[in-house]
Amino acid sequence: MRFLFWLSVVISGIVSIVGFALTKMTTSSFDPTGDNFVGGNGNPGLMFVMLPMLIILYFFFAMMFVFEKIHERFSVKRNLFQAFYSGVFVVILGITIYRIVSFRNEINPYFEYEVSYLNPFSNDLFFNFWTFMACLCVSGFCSFYLKKRI
C-alpha cells in the first residue's frame, strides 16, 4: 500500500510540474507594438493546469502526509516549521500580488477596454514555480493538523 501511495505522489507530482511548466511555456508575452498580439477571448495556457486540476489537487493533498513523515524525522519544534511555512507563503503571496497588479496596470493603457487580472498574458504570473512553492508551503503548514487514528 505504501508503494502505491508513493507512486501516486510521484506521478501526480510529475503531472503537476509538467502542467505548471507547460502553462509557463504557452503563455504569450505581452508586446505593446502588436507583433505578438493574441486575439480572441481564449486563454490557451490555462488548459495545461485546468484539465489535470484534480491530479494537481491530489498532489498537494498527498504532500500533507509526506510532510507529516518528514516532520517526524526532524527534532525541530512545530512552531519553527509553521513559522517557516507561513513566512515563505506570505512573502511569495505578497510578491505575486504585487507582480500581478503592476503587470495589469502596465498593460491596461494599450487596450481600449479594461484588462482583467487573468488574461492571456498573465498565466505565468499565476502558475509558476513560486506559486507551486506557495502551495507546497500551505500543504506543509496543514500537515500539522492531520489527526492520527490509534
Side-chain angles (χ1 to χ4, degrees), residues 11 15-16 25 30 34 45 64-66 68 70 72 75 77 79 81 83 86-87 91 95 102 105 112 122 129 147 150:
I11 291 172
V15 168
S16 300
M25 289 173 34
F30 179 68
M64 287 192 291
F65 296 100
V66 172
E68 182 184 31
I70 291 172
E72 289 175 356
S75 61
K77 296 193 180 220
N79 293 338
F81 273 120
S86 300
V91 167
I95 290 170
S102 64
N105 291 338
E112 61 269 0
S122 67
F129 172 76
K147 302 286 184 196
I150 299 179

Side-chain angles (χ1 to χ4, degrees), residues 1 3 8 22 25-26 40 50 57 60 64 93 124 131 136:
M1 187 67 159
F3 174 74
S8 70
L22 287 175
M25 289 173 34
T26 57
M50 294 305 158
L57 290 176
F60 290 123
M64 287 192 291
L93 182 69
D124 59 340
T131 55
L136 283 178

